[in-house]
Amino acid sequence: MAGRNAQVQIMRSQLGRVRGLGSAKSGVEHWWVERLTAIALVPLTVWFVVAVLLHLGQPQLAVVHWAAHPVNTVLLLALVMLTFHHMQLGLQVVIDDYVHDTRSHLVVSLLNKGASLLLALFAIVAILKMAFWIHAS
Amino acid sequence: MKDVRDALFVAHASDGKLVRRPMSPHLGVYRLQLSMVLSGLNRISGIVTSLGTLLLVWWLVAAASGPKPFDTVQHVVANPLGMIVLFGWTLALVFHTVGGLRHLAWDAGYGFAKDVFNRTGPIVIAVSVVLTLLIWVVGFALWHHGVPAAGTGS
């Protein structure tokens, strides 16, 4: 330990230290949230696939009745929100890996975030509309 | 040095000498292995599943809009081409989920031993294919029970 060859190996450059680059305790957030959403999506996805199988070929009102049940409404909302959050995080990693040009990277990243948000909102509004379905006829 | 970020690739080796840090091993150096293929497929299946969410959103919005838009979705999906797309989406979703469980196990620190991941790779493929086929067999069985014919609008 105290020998002549003992060295502290610092895996961080002087420049990186000067510029204040580092995690500041938030470096793993993207990775961590991706895992958490993944874990939550496993049971939610299984539930959704089973529910879809049980409603195959049924008329629209049957689907509305199913989605309007409070438990189903909540689970559907959770599924949709977590799916699009997980999707956005995952696609962002692919974009970071393959889109190198700074300007294209910004454009594609914003498209990813915008599209994920809009798709999630479409789905959420559709679910809420079914939850508060008004039988007009 | 062309870029300031290159400074981050310079470090001291354990003998004190300045070295460029090693980059990821180049793909061309390695013989193609199942683990590499599955790693790539996890990403590809994630992208395919993402594209499939368009269908999910369309289905939800149609169901929330009324019988006619809902029937349109049912017709498109029941068409052979629609079924192929839906089958591909099912396969991608199931593979991403099953393979994702393997990734989660790794993240928790399990399954890294060479003999273990050489065994779990083929298991992921087998389970994904069997589950996908099971979903479709059950789907067809339930569908023919519940529906007189395609396009039962109200």
Side-chain angles (χ1 to χ4, degrees):
Chain A
M1 225 4 230
R4 268 194 312 141
N5 293 330
Q7 300 223 7
V8 181
Q9 198 178 355
I10 301 164
M11 295 297 283
R12 195 169 165 192
S13 70
Q14 302 298 325
L15 182 62
R17 207 173 304 162
V18 168
R19 295 168 92 200
L21 299 175
S23 86
K25 304 282 188 289
S26 65
V28 293
E29 196 194 340
H30 187 283
W31 186 91
W32 180 239
V33 175
E34 209 179 319
R35 311 300 127 158
L36 287 185
T37 48
I39 293 167
L41 279 168
V42 173
L44 285 171
T45 305
V46 172
W47 165 80
F48 181 71
V49 170
V50 171
V52 168
L53 283 176
L54 291 176
H55 287 84
L56 277 179
Q58 294 205 8
Q60 178 249 355
L61 268 183
V63 175
V64 172
H65 276 302
W66 170 76
H69 190 285
V71 173
N72 296 332
T73 308
V74 168
L75 290 179
L76 272 175
L77 287 173
L79 171 81
V80 161
M81 289 197 266
L82 291 170
T83 292
F84 286 107
H85 194 34
H86 183 81
M87 175 181 119
Q88 189 268 119
L89 292 169
L91 290 179
Q92 190 59 50
V93 179
V94 178
I95 293 166
D96 291 346
D97 277 357
Y98 298 118
V99 184
H100 299 304
D101 174 63
T102 316
R103 197 172 299 194
S104 325
H105 181 268
L106 179 66
V107 172
V108 179
S109 301
L110 291 179
L111 281 175
N112 173 36
K113 286 180 207 309
S116 304
L117 180 68
L118 282 180
L119 283 173
L121 284 175
F122 269 115
I124 288 168
V125 168
I127 293 163
L128 290 177
K129 201 178 165 209
M130 286 192 276
F132 302 109
W133 189 264
I134 297 159
H135 295 275
S137 61
Chain B
M1 228 184 262
K2 280 179 289 182
D3 193 296
V4 284
R5 281 171 292 191
D6 285 355
L8 297 171
F9 289 106
V10 179
H12 293 279
S14 44
D15 59 4
K17 269 198 296 189
L18 269 181
V19 291
R20 286 183 73 81
R21 283 188 190 159
M23 309 282 281
S24 299
H26 195 273
L27 278 179
V29 177
Y30 280 101
R31 176 174 60 85
L32 196 71
Q33 291 169 72
L34 185 63
S35 292
M36 296 161 63
V37 176
L38 288 183
S39 170
L41 278 179
N42 184 60
R43 194 166 263 204
I44 291 166
S45 63
I47 296 170
V48 173
T49 310
S50 301
L51 290 173
T53 58
L54 291 170
L55 193 60
L56 169 72
V57 170
W58 188 31
W59 183 74
L60 285 170
V61 170
S65 302
K68 273 199 184 128
F70 190 72
D71 271 7
T72 309
V73 180
Q74 302 283 65
H75 268 109
V76 169
V77 174
N79 157 312
L81 198 69
M83 283 217 188
I84 292 172
V85 171
L86 196 62
F87 184 83
W89 185 36
T90 316
L91 186 62
L93 178 66
V94 170
F95 175 80
H96 196 72
T97 306
V98 177
L101 287 172
R102 186 169 174 242
H103 275 274
L104 285 171
W106 284 336
D107 294 336
Y110 301 103
F112 274 121
K114 202 170 172 182
D115 60 318
V116 177
F117 71 65
N118 276 337
R119 230 176 322 125
T120 51
I123 290 175
V124 164
I125 298 177
V127 171
S128 302
V129 171
V130 168
L131 264 183
T132 306
L133 292 176
L134 185 72
I135 289 171
W136 275 71
V137 168
V138 171
F140 269 116
L142 290 174
W143 192 28
H144 287 301
H145 266 283
V147 194
T152 46
S154 40

